[in-house]
Amino acid sequence: MTQDLRVPWEEDPSELYEHAPCGYLTTTPDGTIVKVNETFLAWTGYTRAELVGVRRFRDLLTPGGQIYHESHYAPLLRMQNDVHEVAFDLVCADGRRLPALINSMLGRDPAGLPRLIRTMIFNATERRGYERELLNARRIAEDSERRVRVLQTIVAGLAAAATEAEVAEVLAGAPGPAFGATASSVWLTGADRGGLIEVSAADPGVTAGAAAEVARRGELEVISAPEKAEDRFGGLAEAMRDAGRTLAVLLPLATGPADDQTEVRGVLAFSFAEPRELSESELLVIRLLGQQGGQSLDRARLYDAARLREARVTFLAGTTREMDEENRLTARAKRLVERLVPEVAEWASVRLQVGGPPGLLAESGGPPPDPELIADQIARVTVSGEALWPAADATEVGTAVLPLTARGLVLGTLALRLEGARRTVAESGFLTELTSRAALALENARLYEQERAVARTLQRSLLSGSTPRDSRFVVETQYHAAAQGLEVGGDWFDAFMISPDKLAVVVGDVVGRGIDAAATMGQLRSAVRAVASADAGPAKVLRKLDRFVDRVITAKMATVAYCEINLATNVMTYACAGHLPPLLHEPASQARYLMGARSAPLGSRAGKRDRVEEKVKLASGSRLLLYTDGLVERRNRPIDQGLDTMAREWARRRDAPTAGLAAGFADLMVGTDHTDDVCLLCLTLGTDERLERSIGADPMQIALLRKEMKAWLITHQVDEESVQGVLLACSEAVANAIEHGYRDDPFGQVEIVATVSGEAVEVVVADRGVWRPARSDVSRGRGLQLIRQVMDHVSFDRSAGTVVTMRRTRKENA
């Protein structure tokens, strides 16, 4: 069996106990020390007499250790009989603290009651130092890791920031989480700024002067105490004291490492209220932050410049497009200044010089500059043809005046004011390009208006001249040129006498636009006059026009509505070659379209080619409307709806005066903004000086008579008061004739003859009945009284029936 080796000397157990490499204590269950070895006494500096039987183990512990001994150590020892490696600080005789690891065992008697406690103490001074070093290293590592995470977040934020303001916001928020700074500020600088501008946050512990000095030097400055800044940064020391700062850092935001190529884009400044020192690793992170911030600012500045260029290009394209949408010179100038303000300028105006003294064409924004000053600047630019810019270092608000030059001619000037003189000068290239494009657009509009005026004059010269004048009819015509477009159209009208008793009216539309269409329109109008004759008729005229268009190719597919009116019989013969139907409104009827006598357009190879005509008897006072498709056709509605609308509105104007009727109706139907030419001809019949009618002895016929007589009177331009008086007197006279003359004869006839002259209207109402008194003399008396009140002269003849003669002087001749 294995036996213990013997050493050359006999080891003394008491010597082993006293000088063991650890301390030993034996205590009673209440902690009183009853035995202690020499090693423990040497470590703590106590004597045996000071400990044995005098003090308890807990008395050697620090206050915190005593609490832990009572709350954890002693209960745990009693519960499990041993405790291992519990860390305590022992208070030595000289007051020093000895870090120690304690191992204790509780001995019990045969009855299981606590008897003694044996404790072994290890000196943990070196171990505690190692632990502190490890903890410090761990803390440093954790702080470094935290700063790296913060720096990563900052870098990510800088990468996402698109503008200088966004970069500044990210930088201003970095020092707090990264280094525990109390406050921070960011200043930015640039070639067009003239110095530093604080753009984010506000640190009262740092001054703008110190930031400007750091930006000039391009070096990191760490001010560890206010007094350290006394000689270097002027008011920085006072600012730090006032704000309660103990440390300030001013970091230049440079585009790269310190070398000759580095440019400082700004300064990040931050300060601390609590005393602290920055480690080398922290200073390294701070420098990296400065480089990242400077590069991000440089990138954002380039991005801002690129975005501004893109915005300006987009603005130029949009302005050019919107100005091209307007044809008129004034409208284009107005659109230009409306685009400029407020997107580009605070105030802008366009003045033209061509063709006379300078005149304001459009203005927007405000307030405007001094009138005398701007007038002087405009005069100088107009003469020199060179732009006038405000001084770059001007402190007051400046106005730039640029010449509007096109094809070597100075048309006028564009004057505008931006937010500041520096910005105006910086954007001179953009403004010059804008002015060049605007000048060309305005010149095109000026030329357009000149050409448009010439074209309209040509177009109207090709239309029919004066319409025939006759007491038996009135012809009103109206031509509305398209509100947009320069080319003339092919819409036309004409009215002429075929014979002394036959009137021809025609409206047509030639396919296409331009000079060719206008020339064809003139040829076709002349052809209609040439082939029309007293014995031809509309169908024959259209057949001759078919042969004409075979030789004039540009006239093919032209549409024509052609009517001939026999003024002796009021019979109208009409025909439509592919044209919209005429609209007829008779005094006692509803407005209706004449849908008969329709055939294909002139020269057509398809559709109904046989030329037909129809006749219709027109009552005196009838109104006929011939028109082109521009009056009713719209892209946003069916043509049936347009025709219904026109018929309804035409009926509402049944009693309107003929003078101005066509023009007013055209304005109502198309307004001022229409894309197609509009041509219409209004014919009113029954304007002869004598109106003769015969009606049956039926009171229902009186209403029809009133409508027809009213239209006849209006046609003769009789004043409204006289019209109402004549209608009332005539109605009462006819009613009396029916009531008194034909009470027992329902087949009787009442004759009405009305004549009009420049002085008066005379109406004769006659019946052949036997006069019988009315059932009530009251009603008869009232009728005669009304007649005498509204007419100037009234006479009765009952020699053969009853004849009532009434006369009223026209108001204009009263």
Side-chain angles (χ1 to χ4, degrees), residues 206-238:
V206 182
T207 61
E213 181 63 20
V214 169
R216 186 184 65 81
R217 296 178 183 177
E219 297 177 356
L220 171 66
E221 293 289 345
V222 179
I223 312 300
S224 58
E227 54 271 14
K228 297 290 184 65
E230 290 286 357
D231 298 330
R232 302 177 61 189
F233 297 109
L236 178 59
E238 183 179 356

Side-chain angles (χ1 to χ4, degrees), residues 405 566 697 710:
T405 305
N566 189 325
K710 182 177 182 180

Side-chain angles (χ1 to χ4, degrees), residues 187-433:
W187 282 268
L188 297 183
T189 185
D192 60 338
R193 299 181 186 274
L196 289 176
I197 298 177
E198 191 173 32
V199 296
S200 182
D203 186 357
V206 182
T207 61
E213 181 63 20
V214 169
R216 186 184 65 81
R217 296 178 183 177
E219 297 177 356
L220 171 66
E221 293 289 345
V222 179
I223 312 300
S224 58
E227 54 271 14
K228 297 290 184 65
E230 290 286 357
D231 298 330
R232 302 177 61 189
F233 297 109
L236 178 59
E238 183 179 356
M240 290 180 65
R241 292 191 185 97
D242 293 343
R245 301 293 191 260
T246 60
L247 175 65
V249 178
L250 292 95
L251 174 66
L253 302 172
T255 57
D259 55 36
D260 294 339
Q261 303 301 320
T262 297
E263 293 186 18
V264 176
R265 297 302 188 193
V267 174
L268 169 63
F270 53 95
S271 60
F272 301 83
E274 298 296 330
R276 65 159 297 175
E277 294 182 1
L278 296 174
S279 65
E280 289 298 325
S281 63
E282 288 179 319
L283 291 174
L284 177 60
V285 172
I286 289 174
R287 289 188 174 90
L288 289 175
L289 178 62
Q291 292 181 14
Q292 290 288 335
Q295 293 171 3
S296 297
L297 285 173
D298 194 47
R299 172 181 52 78
R301 190 164 295 178
L302 292 174
Y303 177 78
D304 286 344
R307 186 173 57 180
L308 179 61
R309 286 194 297 271
E310 181 181 357
R312 290 306 185 224
V313 170
T314 303
F315 180 85
L316 286 173
T319 301
T320 303
R321 182 178 62 256
E322 290 196 16
M323 291 182 69
D324 287 343
E325 291 175 355
E326 301 289 349
N327 294 324
R328 299 299 183 89
L329 182 62
T330 302
R332 286 193 175 185
K334 183 178 180 181
R335 185 66 64 90
L336 173 62
V337 296
E338 287 177 348
R339 288 275 296 174
L340 285 170
V341 179
E343 185 171 347
V344 173
E346 297 175 342
W347 170 86
S349 73
V350 173
R351 295 174 185 264
L352 292 188
Q353 179 71 21
V354 174
L360 179 65
L361 195 61
E363 182 178 20
S364 182
D370 179 70
E372 295 183 0
L373 176 63
I374 194 65
D376 177 67
Q377 292 176 328
I378 289 174
R380 291 163 56 189
V381 171
T382 302
V383 173
S384 66
E386 297 181 358
L388 188 62
W389 303 98
D393 57 351
T395 57
E396 69 277 2
V397 176
T399 302
V401 181
L402 296 90
L404 293 167
T405 305
R407 301 181 177 93
L409 177 67
V410 179
L411 305 176
T413 57
L414 169 65
L416 45 80
R417 181 179 64 242
L418 276 66
E419 292 179 355
R422 292 182 182 278
R423 183 185 167 198
T424 305
V425 175
E427 297 209 59
S428 58
F430 158 69
L431 296 176
T432 301
E433 176 66 18

Side-chain angles (χ1 to χ4, degrees), residues 616-638:
V616 59
K617 173 72 173 179
L618 302 180
S620 179
S622 296
R623 282 181 172 174
L624 180 71
L625 181 66
L626 303 180
Y627 53 93
T628 56
D629 54 5
L631 194 66
V632 293
E633 287 187 350
R634 301 290 182 273
R635 292 182 179 180
N636 58 351
R637 72 181 185 192

Side-chain angles (χ1 to χ4, degrees), residues 19 72 76 166 190-191 214 237 249 263 306 343 351 389 459-460 538 582 611 618 656 674 678 706 743 748 754:
H19 299 287
H72 292 80
L76 186 63
E166 293 175 353
V214 169
V249 178
E263 293 186 18
E343 185 171 347
R351 295 174 185 264
W389 303 98
Q459 187 177 31
R460 293 186 182 280
R611 302 305 178 184
L618 302 180
H674 51 97
V678 175
R706 284 176 59 89
R743 179 187 304 172

Side-chain angles (χ1 to χ4, degrees), residues 403-560:
L404 293 167
T405 305
R407 301 181 177 93
L409 177 67
V410 179
L411 305 176
T413 57
L414 169 65
L416 45 80
R417 181 179 64 242
L418 276 66
E419 292 179 355
R422 292 182 182 278
R423 183 185 167 198
T424 305
V425 175
E427 297 209 59
S428 58
F430 158 69
L431 296 176
T432 301
E433 176 66 18
L434 171 67
T435 306
S436 177
R437 295 192 183 194
L440 184 59
L442 292 173
E443 172 66 1
N444 289 339
R446 186 180 69 84
L447 295 176
Y448 167 83
E449 290 193 349
Q450 289 182 352
E451 294 296 330
R452 190 172 186 269
V454 172
R456 294 309 179 200
T457 302
L458 172 63
Q459 187 177 31
R460 293 186 182 280
S461 67
L462 293 174
L463 292 173
S464 175
S466 59
T467 57
R469 296 182 178 275
D470 194 291
S471 60
R472 295 169 291 180
F473 63 86
V474 174
V475 175
E476 278 269 322
T477 60
Q478 182 65 25
Y479 181 83
H480 273 204
Q484 301 176 357
L486 175 63
E487 294 183 319
V488 295
D491 294 15
W492 57 282
F493 59 80
D494 199 3
F496 56 92
M497 298 297 297
I498 299 175
S499 68
D501 289 326
K502 184 174 286 189
L503 168 69
V505 291
V506 59
V507 167
D509 190 357
V510 173
V511 176
R513 298 184 65 82
I515 298 299
D516 288 342
T520 302
M521 172 187 74
Q523 290 178 302
L524 191 57
R525 182 174 62 84
S526 298
V528 171
R529 288 199 174 209
V531 300
S533 62
D535 57 349
K540 189 174 182 179
V541 168
L542 293 183
R543 285 193 289 271
K544 291 182 179 181
L545 291 178
D546 282 329
R547 291 193 292 273
F548 169 77
V549 300
D550 286 339
R551 299 188 301 273
V552 182
I553 304 302
T554 54
K556 284 185 176 295
M557 300 305 294
T559 64
V560 174

